[in-house]
Amino acid sequence: MKKRLLAALFSLSLPTGSALAADGAGLFQANCSACHQADGQGVAGQFPPLAGRVGKIAATPEGRQYVIAVALNGLMGPITAAGNTYASFMPPFKTLPDDQIAAVLNHVAGLPSGPDATVFTADEVATARKEALTPPAVIEKRKALDAQHPLP
């Protein structure tokens, strides 16, 4: 009886990293909400709002690449977002697996009102991960994107 119970327990399928990654909202709360707030509205003068902006930025291939670069490599330097200037530091989150970064970005792209969007894929994050950038280099990427497609 004990052997059958142990065999049954070991045969159960436990959640893997990708199963956990499906919870973009939970991952956002755990990794991002301390600065960007639970609703993605940010903190005036300190942390820019993400809600209503990331989905718009991700509307172009260059915008998706930029958003992924920010999540992977962080950001350092002044930016203007939603008409306000911010000069804080965002740490890199490259220690998170590709599927979790994609899940967080999809959650944020769906804010403020919708369900998680399906803009970002783990494969896209894996490809972007190959281009290691410094946080100041991400600012330069932002400037080039803003010149091509003005950012909200």
Side-chain angles (χ1 to χ4, degrees):
M1 172 92 169
K2 284 184 182 177
K3 287 183 182 179
R4 278 189 274 168
L5 179 60
L6 285 174
L9 286 173
F10 283 114
S11 70
L12 291 175
S13 177
L14 297 175
T16 62
S18 60
L20 295 173
D23 182 17
L27 289 163
F28 177 82
Q29 292 307 313
N31 294 286
C32 313
S33 67
C35 296
H36 294 287
Q37 305 305 297
D39 58 2
Q41 294 299 321
V43 176
Q46 293 181 343
F47 308 107
L50 303 176
R53 296 182 54 252
V54 172
K56 291 176 184 174
I57 295 169
T60 65
E62 301 85 6
R64 284 194 307 279
Q65 291 171 2
Y66 164 73
V67 171
I68 294 169
V70 171
L72 285 171
N73 303 293
L75 188 96
M76 184 171 60
I79 65 167
T80 300
N84 296 308
T85 302
Y86 299 87
S88 61
F89 172 75
M90 180 178 147
F93 285 94
K94 63 179 115 191
T95 58
L96 292 177
D98 299 336
D99 59 338
Q100 290 186 7
I101 290 176
V104 169
L105 294 177
N106 285 328
H107 170 70
V108 173
L111 291 175
S113 58
D116 290 1
T118 54
V119 177
F120 301 95
T121 67
D123 288 342
E124 206 173 13
V125 175
T127 298
R129 190 181 291 277
K130 294 173 186 172
E131 180 187 18
L133 298 170
T134 64
V138 176
I139 289 288
E140 294 306 313
K141 193 174 193 91
R142 178 186 179 83
K143 288 176 185 175
L145 177 63
D146 194 34
Q148 187 178 11
H149 304 284
L151 299 172

